[in-house]
């Protein structure tokens, strides 16, 4: 059994947010609270699996949320040709996770059936629920489906030896986390099952939520799947860059060797 290398790739940030944007039931709601945006890359020898794709400049302009690096440029230090990427795990279909799907035209998309159903049902008539999605991203999945390049799962599934996905829900109906076998143990890419360390460590839910019970129970699932709480990687926390070493370029951090300092519980 070979272990996987795992990298967090930062492509954007939002530094004008406050804690009310990150936590329900927070007493210090108007204090600043920055957010980073990541993609993740798994590598084992010549095999590469991309987890989420970020979003590009057109989406950034439409939403008024600038990016620092286009997704393809963010991956450039790895020498990865987008046309050679064969597998993309889509944790969920929100714009910041699925906005670059079209940039990887030959990849099979791995996602939960519940997420596709949620993003294409009458509940999207509600603007509040529709807000994190972009129609073109959903249409890209449909086009990929009709070319035979979408694999749907219902709950838990193995993508490759040492890489599994697990439906969490909560933030979005078909949100899934990714469990990866690494030299440090079983590492869990939480994606938006925990935006920040504080979401899970203090059991503080994130405000964009479809099912609060699923979100809260998802915190328990993340802890069960990871070999250690130190190996749960939140989806948007700038602290990831403080805990894990920088490699290849300033925006890339290696996760599979474990944190360089303890994540305080």
């Amino acid at each position: 059994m070979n272990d996987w290398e795992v990298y967090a790739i930062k492509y954007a940030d939002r530094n004008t947010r406050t804690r009310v944007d990150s936590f329900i039931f927070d007493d210090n709601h108007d204090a600043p609270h920055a957010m980073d945006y990541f993609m993740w890359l798994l590598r084992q020898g010549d095999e590469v699996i991309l987890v989420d794709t970020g979003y590009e400049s057109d989406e950034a302009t439409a939403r008024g949320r600038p990016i620092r690096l286009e997704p393809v440029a963010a991956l450039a230090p790895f020498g990865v040709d987008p046309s050679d990427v064969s597998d993309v795990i889509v944790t969920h279909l929100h714009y910041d996770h699925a906005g670059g799907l079209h940039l990887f035209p030959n990849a099979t998309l791995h996602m939960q059936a519940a997420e596709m159903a949620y993003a294409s049902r009458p509940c999207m008539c509600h603007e509040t629920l529709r807000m994190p999605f972009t129609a073109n991203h959903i249409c890209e999945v449909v086009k990929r489906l009709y070319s035979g390049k979408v694999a749907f799962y219902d709950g838990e599934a193995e993508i490759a030896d040492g890489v599994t996905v697990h439906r969490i829900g909560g933030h979005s109906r078909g949100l899934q986390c990714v469990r990866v076998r690494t030299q440090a143990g079983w590492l869990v890419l939480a994606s938006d099952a925990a935006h920040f360390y504080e979401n899970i460590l203090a059991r503080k839910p994130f405000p964009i939520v479809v099912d609060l019970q699923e979100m809260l129970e998802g915190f328990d699932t993340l802890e069960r799947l990871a070999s250690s709480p130190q190996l749960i990687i939140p989806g948007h926390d700038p602290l990831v860059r403080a805990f894990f070493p920088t490699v290849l370029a300033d925006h890339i951090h290696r996760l599979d060797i474990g944190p360089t300092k303890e994540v305080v519980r």
Side-chain angles (χ1 to χ4, degrees), residues 170 199 203-205 211-221:
N199 288 128
R203 292 306 198 262
K204 288 184 177 180
D211 189 313
L212 185 55
Q213 180 181 353
E214 283 192 338
M215 180 178 284
L216 292 169
E217 291 175 351
F219 297 150
D220 296 329
T221 300

Side-chain angles (χ1 to χ4, degrees), residues 14-238:
R14 287 174 62 204
N15 298 319
T16 58
R17 303 171 73 259
T18 59
R19 288 179 64 84
V20 73
D21 299 313
S22 301
F23 307 108
I24 299 176
F25 312 129
D26 189 77
D27 294 333
N28 197 15
H29 64 276
D30 57 350
H33 201 252
M35 171 182 276
D36 281 355
Y37 290 74
F38 296 99
M39 307 181 293
W40 300 273
L41 184 137
L42 316 181
R43 185 168 66 181
Q44 186 185 89
D46 293 332
E47 187 174 2
V48 168
I49 299 174
L50 187 62
V51 179
D52 291 342
T53 64
Y55 63 100
E56 58 177 354
S57 55
D58 288 349
E59 185 76 13
T61 300
R63 290 185 178 265
R65 297 181 176 182
I67 57 173
R68 294 187 177 273
L69 286 169
E70 297 278 354
V72 172
L75 289 171
F78 293 99
V80 173
D81 186 324
S83 64
D84 291 337
V85 174
S86 59
D87 295 279
V88 173
I89 297 174
V90 185
T91 64
H92 60 304
L93 289 171
H94 286 179
Y95 77 97
D96 54 319
H97 295 261
L101 292 178
H102 65 290
L103 301 173
F104 305 93
N106 298 319
T108 294
L109 310 181
H110 300 268
M111 56 186 294
Q112 294 287 323
E115 184 69 358
M116 191 71 215
Y118 175 56
S120 57
R121 282 185 176 171
C123 55
M124 289 297 112
C125 294
H126 299 291
E127 184 176 355
T128 300
L129 298 179
R130 190 172 65 239
M131 178 272 295
F133 296 93
T134 294
N136 284 343
H137 306 159
I138 311 307
C139 291
E140 175 63 28
V141 179
V142 174
K143 289 190 293 184
R144 203 70 63 94
L145 172 63
Y146 276 81
S147 64
K149 288 190 172 294
V150 181
F152 287 117
Y153 307 106
D154 183 15
E156 179 178 328
E158 184 178 68
I159 306 303
D161 180 47
V163 179
T164 56
V165 294
H166 307 260
R167 195 190 81 83
I168 300 291
H171 177 65
S172 189
R173 287 289 180 201
L175 170 66
Q176 60 184 356
C177 69
V178 184
R179 186 180 193 230
V180 189
R181 187 181 60 237
T182 72
Q183 61 179 294
W186 285 104
L187 179 146
V188 176
L189 297 174
S191 183
D192 289 1
H195 285 66
F196 300 92
Y197 285 106
E198 192 172 349
N199 288 128
I200 185 169
L201 296 180
R203 292 306 198 262
K204 288 184 177 180
F206 191 80
I208 298 177
V209 56
V210 175
D211 189 313
L212 185 55
Q213 180 181 353
E214 283 192 338
M215 180 178 284
L216 292 169
E217 291 175 351
F219 297 150
D220 296 329
T221 300
L222 296 175
E223 290 184 334
R224 175 177 58 81
L225 291 173
S227 292
S228 160
Q230 309 292 312
L231 295 177
I232 299 173
I233 311 299
H236 288 274
D237 202 326

